[in-house]
Every structure is written in structure tokens, then in C-alpha cells.
Amino acid sequence: MSASERVVPEGARRRRRPTKQGTVLSEQLIVETALRLIGEHGAAALTVRRLGAALGCDPSALYRYFRDTDELLLAVADELIGRTLRTWRPTGDWRADLRTLGLRMHADYLAHPQAATLTCARVTGRAHEIRSVEAILGVLRGAGFPDAEAVRIYHVFVDQTLSFAALDASTLVLSEQARAQEVQTWPQTYARLPADTHPNIAATAGVLVAEMDRSGYPAALEMVLAAAATRLQHVRTPAL
Amino acid sequence: MSASERVVPEGARRRRRPTKQGTVLSEQLIVETALRLIGEHGAAALTVRRLGAALGCDPSALYRYFRDTDELLLAVADELIGRTLRTWRPTGDWRADLRTLGLRMHADYLAHPQAATLTCARVTGRAHEIRSVEAILGVLRGAGFPDAEAVRIYHVFVDQTLSFAALDASTLVLSEQARAQEVQTWPQTYARLPADTHPNIAATAGVLVAEMDRSGYPAALEMVLAAAATRLQHVRTPAL
DNA sequence: GTTCACACGTCAACGCTGTTGTCATAAGGT
DNA sequence: ACCTTATGACAACAGCGTTGACGTGTGAAC
């Protein structure tokens, strides 16, 4: 039997057989346990053996549910997307809708930084992700963007949100002292550079220290939304 | 002897003893070989054993030069930063300068994805980084952006470039088959969704498949530059 | 009810990984 | 020429993902 034939799709499962330790496995339970493991003990804690131990089953039992660890990771990623999307409702104002969705996705991923660094870059092709793509495209096309434009803006919006989430999450995962040192680099190193050798840094030192202390995502999102709005005006009033 | 005591700083090395196969090790040679290994055989090829084999030495000999593989990767990353900025010269056209710098940084990081994913989020506070901050701020202030605005745009520009680089690099780090599957998800899964359940995806399927096949960074960069240009116009012609 | 196919958990094993303790030896200051 | 010790080699360990074989309990069929 090859590895891929070993996996039975979740919908087709009929026999639910408890493990030696009594737990009844399911795709849902495995994904939740994986997420919990990552949240409690860091991303490095997600190994097949540890996950098996946490679930009370043999590690190899997981291969009845996922072809390999990569597929398991995709399921974890999709679960995160689903949690974000579950409470979001579009209002009809495209700019406000994208703003709140972006900020919420960013925040939700940061709430699970270890999981975010592992999964932000992945295209899952699973249910929750598909729903989010459909929704965002709907918002943009409903606002009047032509198809090509809508797809391009969708791409920028989603990749920007995920990549900033991964970036910001990765700093949260650093060790306590590494993060502390990272934060202090701006006031300690940059704010003290002399004006004759580094005129631009010296002139903006105060603003620089304050700005670099927070995420650049909100400002980046605003700029992308502003550029999109400008583009929409051109589409609506062509050849002025 | 503990692991950290085993490492001798590069400057303090006195005895250069050739390995059994004749090569004379050095921090520089190890870093270069690691970069070559990544470039030739992919990120997965960078293991201590393979690196040892490529260098003609026992894997454990590397631990005389780096405390662990993480420290080795940081050394590789540091080498990368230097290479990126070395050839860039501002022309005086702020928008073109930022465009070429962003695209070049993005490309250079992608050429060494393993190092990129590990280092994109770090603030080093070292010479190369400081020079880049000074240069970018100089471009923006020279273009006429007020200090607060210049810092804000610098933040967005640099974080967006690094985060997209990390995102795109992380897909290159995936195993061969995982990446292949990721690419096929758009034509195989998304392009086949029926129009009645997923009207927006179905309507844009063709454009979607083409768009998602490449990085969103160039488009994102253009949108940020466009938003910045609009902002600059407002600053130059206040209170119209 | 009883039977029966097989889904699914378990076990053992493979080859890989990073890392370390110990030892031998050649380099280089004296 | 000696002696210290830096440094490379060797062997071993624990842990990793993954697979093939095995047996047992389940749910369906009759």
C-alpha cells in the first residue's frame, strides 16, 4: 500500500476506533491539538511523535489522516483562516471592508505567532481559504474594479497582509533577550548617530524611534487602499 | 568542554591545520561553500554533513567555527546584506531609485532563500543596515517629503520589501513536491470551481491563475510608490 | 444475531538529522 | 627540539519523518 492510498478523506470515514489510550481521532481533533501544541511549546514542538503523544496515539496513526506533515501543516493554516473569516461580515463599503479584514487577519495571525510563521506563506486550497478568496474578489468586483484590476489588488492585499503578519510574528517568536535587544537598537544605536556622518538619520531620530517601535502594516495597508481608490477613480471617469 | 567554549573567534585563529583531504578551513570558506551549496542544490542541501562533505572535512569540524547551525546561517545572512547594497547608486529620481532598490533587494534575498527566511525580520544595527537607512531617508527627504512623512514611508518601504522577500523565499524553501503542488493549486483547484457556488472566482479564473503564479511584490511596490507620489503632490501644493 | 471485509491503530525498523565527548596529531611559540 | 594546545577525526546518541506488516475491533450485510 502506498502512502497516499493510506489516507481516507474525512467525509468518507465510517469506523471510528479508539486508540489504546482511549481517544477517538479525527482530522479536527488532530488540527486543534497541533495548534495547541504550537501555542504552548513553540513551533519546534510540532513533531509527529510529540503530536502522537499529545493525542494518545502512535505517531504513525496520523498518516491515516494526512499524507505527510506538510499536508497537516496546510490543514492548520486553513483552520487559522477559518477562525478569522468566521466573524467578518462585509458592509458594502469596499475600502472599510478590506481595512477591517486586513487588520483583523493581521491581528489573528499575531495571536498565534508560532503557527503564523509556519503557515503564512502556504496556499492551502482548502475550504476556508477558498471562501476568503471568493469574498475578497466579491468586494472588489462589487466596488467596480474590472476583473484584471480586482485580481491584481486581491493579490497585493492578501500577500501584503500575510507577509506582514509573518514578519511581525517572527519577532514575537524571538527569545526574550533577543527581542529586547532588537527593540533597543533604534534608541540606542540609531538615535545616537552624529549629524555630520548620518545627517538624515540624525534629523529624524525622534520620529524614527517612535515609528519603528510599531508595525508598519497599518500604514502600508492605507497606502495600498489609497492607490486602489485612485485607480478606481480613473476607471470610473475614463479619458478625462 | 561546553559547546560555546569550543569555538575560537576568527581573528584569534593561529594554527591552520589542513583536513585529511587537504583543504584548509576558515570562516570565510565555510560561509562561501554554504552559499554555493544552497545555490546549486537547493535549501534542503544545507546540512552539516553535506557541508562537511563539500568542504572535505568531518561534519564536527564545523563546530570549531560556529556554535551551531543557526550561527552559521546568520553568518551567511550577514554576507548577503553586504552584497546587496554594494552596487546600488541613487540617481536623484526618488521614485525610480526606490523602485530599483526594492526590486534588487527582493531579488537578492530570493537568490538565497534559506538565509532570507531566517534573517529578513532581524534589525542588525550593523554598518550595512545603517548605511541603507541613511540612504533611503536621504532619497525621501531630498524629494521633499517632510520628516514625519519620510520616516513613515521609509518604514512601509523597508518592511514591505523584507516581508515580501521572506514570504516569497519561504515558498522556495519548500520541498520539490510541496512547491509543485502549491503551484498547481490555482489551476487545479481554483480554476475548476463552479460559477453558481463561487461566481467571483469563476469569473476571474483565467486572470487569477496567471496572476498568482508570480510574486505580488512588484505590484505592491508600485501601489505604495503611487500613494507616496500622491501624498507628495498634496505637500507641495498645500490648501488647494 | 452472526458473519465478514477491511479501516485503522500499533509495532518495528530504516535512513536521515544536529550535536557532543574523546582522542590523536601537527602547528607554532618558546 | 620541545611542549602546549588548537583543531580535525571518529564514534555514538537522541530525535526526526516515514513506511510496511500485522492484528484487532467496527459497522454493514444478511
Side-chain angles (χ1 to χ4, degrees), chain A residues 8 13 15 17 20 57-58 60 64-65:
Chain A
V8 174
R13 288 193 179 273
R15 308 186 186 176
R17 175 182 181 175
K20 236 177 183 179
C57 73
D58 190 88
S60 62
R64 303 283 181 200
Y65 294 82

Side-chain angles (χ1 to χ4, degrees), chain A residues 43-62:
Chain A
L46 187 59
T47 74
V48 188
R49 291 165 202 272
R50 265 198 272 248
L51 184 51
L55 282 162
C57 73
D58 190 88
S60 62
L62 300 173

Side-chain angles (χ1 to χ4, degrees), chain B residues 172-205:
Chain B
L172 293 183
V173 171
L174 295 176
S175 71
E176 191 56 43
Q177 73 172 29
R179 188 159 73 255
Q181 190 195 327
E182 189 118 335
V183 167
Q184 289 196 336
T185 299
W186 291 102
Q188 299 292 330
T189 302
Y190 280 91
R192 292 179 176 173
L193 293 172
D196 51 345
T197 60
H198 301 82
N200 294 300
I201 291 176
T204 59

Side-chain angles (χ1 to χ4, degrees), chain B residues 4 14 29 38 79 87 125 155 162 172 184 238:
Chain B
S4 55
R14 319 196 130 270
L29 178 62
I38 294 173
E79 171 69 18
T87 55
H155 191 191
L162 292 180
L172 293 183
Q184 289 196 336

Side-chain angles (χ1 to χ4, degrees), chain A residues 38 49 69 97 120 133 144 152:
Chain A
I38 293 173
R49 291 165 202 272
T69 48
D97 287 343
C120 266
V133 176
R152 212 170 52 88

Side-chain angles (χ1 to χ4, degrees), chain A residues 183-207:
Chain A
V183 166
Q184 289 195 336
T185 299
W186 291 102
Q188 299 293 328
T189 301
Y190 280 90
R192 291 180 176 173
L193 292 172
D196 52 345
T197 59
H198 302 82
N200 294 300
I201 292 176
T204 58
V207 200

Side-chain angles (χ1 to χ4, degrees), chain B residues 78-130:
Chain B
D78 200 55
E79 171 69 18
L80 262 188
I81 297 175
R83 293 185 183 184
T84 300
L85 207 65
R86 203 166 291 151
T87 55
W88 178 74
R89 294 286 176 279
T91 67
D93 176 353
W94 70 270
R95 201 162 166 174
D97 286 343
L98 290 188
R99 182 182 294 120
T100 57
L101 180 60
L103 291 175
R104 186 175 299 184
M105 283 176 69
H106 187 256
D108 283 353
Y109 271 106
L110 252 51
H112 306 275
Q114 176 91 345
T117 55
L118 201 86
T119 194
C120 270
R122 310 295 279 270
V123 179
T124 68
R126 297 170 64 103
H128 291 135
E129 189 189 68
I130 292 176

Side-chain angles (χ1 to χ4, degrees), chain B residues 9-82:
Chain B
E10 183 68 9
R13 289 192 179 272
R14 319 196 130 270
R15 306 184 186 178
R16 320 235 64 136
R17 175 181 178 175
T19 72
K20 234 178 182 180
Q21 302 183 34
T23 48
V24 175
L25 297 180
S26 70
E27 200 174 296
Q28 183 65 20
L29 178 62
I30 294 174
V31 169
E32 281 170 4
T33 307
L35 263 177
R36 184 170 57 77
L37 219 52
I38 294 173
E40 285 176 4
H41 305 104
L46 189 59
T47 74
V48 187
R49 290 164 204 273
R50 267 197 272 249
L51 184 51
L55 281 163
C57 72
D58 190 87
S60 64
L62 300 173
Y63 290 83
R64 302 284 181 198
Y65 294 83
F66 301 97
R67 198 159 42 80
D68 50 30
T69 50
D70 196 77
E71 199 178 278
L72 165 63
L73 275 171
L74 283 183
V76 171
D78 200 55
E79 171 69 18
L80 262 188
I81 297 175

